């Protein structure tokens, strides 16, 4: 081939490339994992990215230890998708973000919290939201929820044990996530001091004595070294305040319109594995640290949580639809609960 022939060949290739348009970069999946690339959420995201190749999407996974960065980059359109806590996902979809509302999954039976039934309430809602019938609820504006997983019940963790009632929290310093206004509202209502915190510093504040009480799932106990803050006087109250979730959210302009349904089905299929991880984490908290409320204190505690989530809904921070669905699931599990005979979860 002569130099002139080479020139013609390269010119032809250049023209074809121009006609084909610029090469599109792989959509970015931004992931929050407190342990970075060594964490289970990062691994989950990588497995998910591989699975979605069959849907024609080749995600590039980028993991961050600061959840604020993930939320801000996603909001700015730098990420096509993001894996966040339900708290951070709530601005993108209030329906699914309200799964993490105060006490909404908590089932009480015979004066005790039925933890298995409480987890089942959340599982039922996640299955409903993964169904084709709920597809419209998963979309809000330009955002769509592509999957939900539980991360485990958030328990009150105390530096020094005391019987928690609506009256004994007065004066206590309680960590409140600065991106969840409802927590701060409830803490202040009970006369406690809400100490602004986030996932990156809540463990250090607890261990260093800057707060008296935090609400966290068992999966944080070891990585945050919370036993240090509890010492010999502290403990974990077996009374969930909520069951937080992990949620995948899409920017609909950056992913195929058909991705939502198979993505939600994929995540729903991970539920059993997530529950096993939660059970392992709860079993790793030393038995000596767990303690329970007296039976006559359980219902007042649950009532305060209900008042808090209703106040949150009235303030426009929770979805009434989600609260109503969760109440129905609670009352199916335990019809004898007092709340099941009165209309408390609708506007």
């Amino acid at each position: 081939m002569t130099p002139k022939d080479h020139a013609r060949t390269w010119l032809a290739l250049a023209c074809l490339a121009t006609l084909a348009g610029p090469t599109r970069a792989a959509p970015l999946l931004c992931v929050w994992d407190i342990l970075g690339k060594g964490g289970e959420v990062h691994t989950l995201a990588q497995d998910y990215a591989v699975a979605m190749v069959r849907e024609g999407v080749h995600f590039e996974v980028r993991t961050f230890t600061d959840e604020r960065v993930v939320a801000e980059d996603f909001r700015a359109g730098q990420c096509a998708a993001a894996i966040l806590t339900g708290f951070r996902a709530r601005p993108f979809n209030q329906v699914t973000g309200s799964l993490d509302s105060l006490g909404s999954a908590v089932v009480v039976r015979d004066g005790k919290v039925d933890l298995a039934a409480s987890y089942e309430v959340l599982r039922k809602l996640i299955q409903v939201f993964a169904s084709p019938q709920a597809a419209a609820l998963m979309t809000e504006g330009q955002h769509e929820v592509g999957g939900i997983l539980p991360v485990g019940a958030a328990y009150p963790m105390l530096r020094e044990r005391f019987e928690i009632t609506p009256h004994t929290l007065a004066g206590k310093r309680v960590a409140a996530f600065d991106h969840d206004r409802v927590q701060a509202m409830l803490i202040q209502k009970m006369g406690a001091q809400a100490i602004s915190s986030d996932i990156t510093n809540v463990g250090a504040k607890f261990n260093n004595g800057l707060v008296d009480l935090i609400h966290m799932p068992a999966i944080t106990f070891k990585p945050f070294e919370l036993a240090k803050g509890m010492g010999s006087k502290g403990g974990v109250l077996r009374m969930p305040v909520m069951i937080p979730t992990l949620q995948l959210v899409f920017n609909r302009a950056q992913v195929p319109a058909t991705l939502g349904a198979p993505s939600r089905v994929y995540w729903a299929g991970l539920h059993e594995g997530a529950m096993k991880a939660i059970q392992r984490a709860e079993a790793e908290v030393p038995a000596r640290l767990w303690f329970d409320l007296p039976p006559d204190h359980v219902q007042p505690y649950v009532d305060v949580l209900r008042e808090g989530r209703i106040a949150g809904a009235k303030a426009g921070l929770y979805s009434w639809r989600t609260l109503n669905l969760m109440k129905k699931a609670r009352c199916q599990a335990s019809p004898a609960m007092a709340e099941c005979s009165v209309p408390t979860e609708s506007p």
Side-chain angles (χ1 to χ4, degrees):
M1 186 180 290
T2 67
K4 187 176 290 187
D5 291 333
H6 277 296
R8 291 196 185 103
T9 300
W10 284 112
L11 181 60
L13 291 173
C15 290
L16 286 172
T18 301
L19 291 171
T23 303
R24 294 185 63 184
L28 191 61
L29 170 57
C30 296
V31 180
W32 168 71
D33 191 318
I34 55 174
L35 299 180
K37 292 183 178 180
E40 292 186 9
V41 182
H42 173 76
T43 301
L44 177 155
Q46 287 187 312
D47 292 345
Y48 169 76
V50 171
M52 290 304 102
V53 170
R54 67 172 177 259
E55 304 298 331
V57 183
H58 296 72
F59 281 114
E60 176 190 343
V61 176
R62 190 172 298 173
T63 300
F64 303 81
T65 56
D66 189 338
E67 191 181 16
R68 287 175 298 183
V69 174
V70 177
E72 290 166 5
D73 284 0
F74 179 69
R75 185 177 287 107
Q78 296 178 33
C79 309
I83 296 179
L84 303 156
T85 59
F87 302 123
R88 295 281 189 187
R90 192 177 301 152
F92 307 115
N93 188 299
Q94 192 180 60
V95 169
T96 62
S98 298
L99 289 172
D100 296 41
S101 49
L102 295 166
S104 58
V106 177
V107 174
V108 175
R109 203 190 309 273
D110 300 324
K112 295 182 179 180
V113 173
D114 187 331
L115 194 57
S118 300
Y119 277 123
E120 180 63 11
V121 165
L122 182 59
R123 187 194 70 80
K124 285 183 177 180
L125 263 292
I126 291 174
Q127 292 292 330
V128 166
F129 287 163
S131 69
Q133 293 79 4
L137 296 178
M138 298 301 96
T139 299
E140 189 172 305
Q142 68 180 35
H143 302 115
E144 181 175 2
V145 174
I148 308 168
L149 279 178
V151 297
Y155 299 103
M157 298 187 178
L158 294 72
R159 285 181 57 82
E160 187 169 347
R161 297 187 191 195
F162 63 94
E163 288 193 8
I164 298 180
T165 71
H167 309 292
T168 58
L169 281 170
K172 300 292 185 183
R173 298 165 300 170
V174 183
F177 287 141
D178 54 16
H179 51 280
D180 187 11
R181 287 170 51 197
V182 186
Q183 285 187 29
M185 287 167 52
L186 183 59
I187 290 167
Q188 291 166 356
K189 181 180 178 181
M190 291 188 289
Q193 182 181 358
I195 306 298
S196 179
S197 307
D198 63 43
I199 199 68
T200 63
N201 61 32
V202 67
K205 287 186 176 183
F206 181 73
N207 290 340
N208 294 326
L210 299 178
V211 295
D212 303 306
L213 188 157
I214 60 176
H215 300 98
M216 298 294 285
I219 59 168
T220 64
F221 182 80
K222 289 181 71 175
F224 287 7
E225 300 180 319
L226 298 177
K228 291 181 178 178
M230 294 179 196
S232 60
K233 297 181 179 180
V236 182
L237 177 61
R238 206 185 326 259
M239 177 70 223
V241 172
M242 64 185 72
I243 303 181
T245 61
L246 200 66
Q247 301 190 15
L248 168 69
V249 188
F250 299 135
N251 182 326
R252 299 174 68 207
Q254 298 186 45
V255 299
T258 56
L259 185 61
S263 177
R264 289 187 288 273
V265 169
Y266 176 88
W267 274 58
L270 301 176
H271 193 94
E272 185 176 347
M275 284 304 306
K276 288 180 179 178
I278 290 167
Q279 290 162 359
R280 285 195 301 271
E282 294 186 350
E284 288 175 351
V285 177
R288 65 177 180 82
L289 292 176
W290 291 101
F291 70 106
D292 297 286
L293 282 177
D296 59 336
H297 287 182
V298 172
Q299 192 58 51
Y301 192 104
V302 171
D303 290 343
V304 167
L305 295 178
R306 182 175 63 250
E307 291 170 7
R309 69 175 174 269
I310 290 175
K314 288 180 177 178
L317 303 174
Y318 288 152
S319 162
W320 284 111
R321 184 191 293 267
T322 303
L323 297 194
N324 185 261
L325 288 171
M326 296 193 80
K327 180 182 177 180
K328 287 180 180 178
R330 289 195 306 274
C331 290
Q332 286 175 356
S334 183
M337 290 192 298
E339 66 167 337
C340 297
S341 60
V342 291
T344 57
E345 309 281 326
S346 57

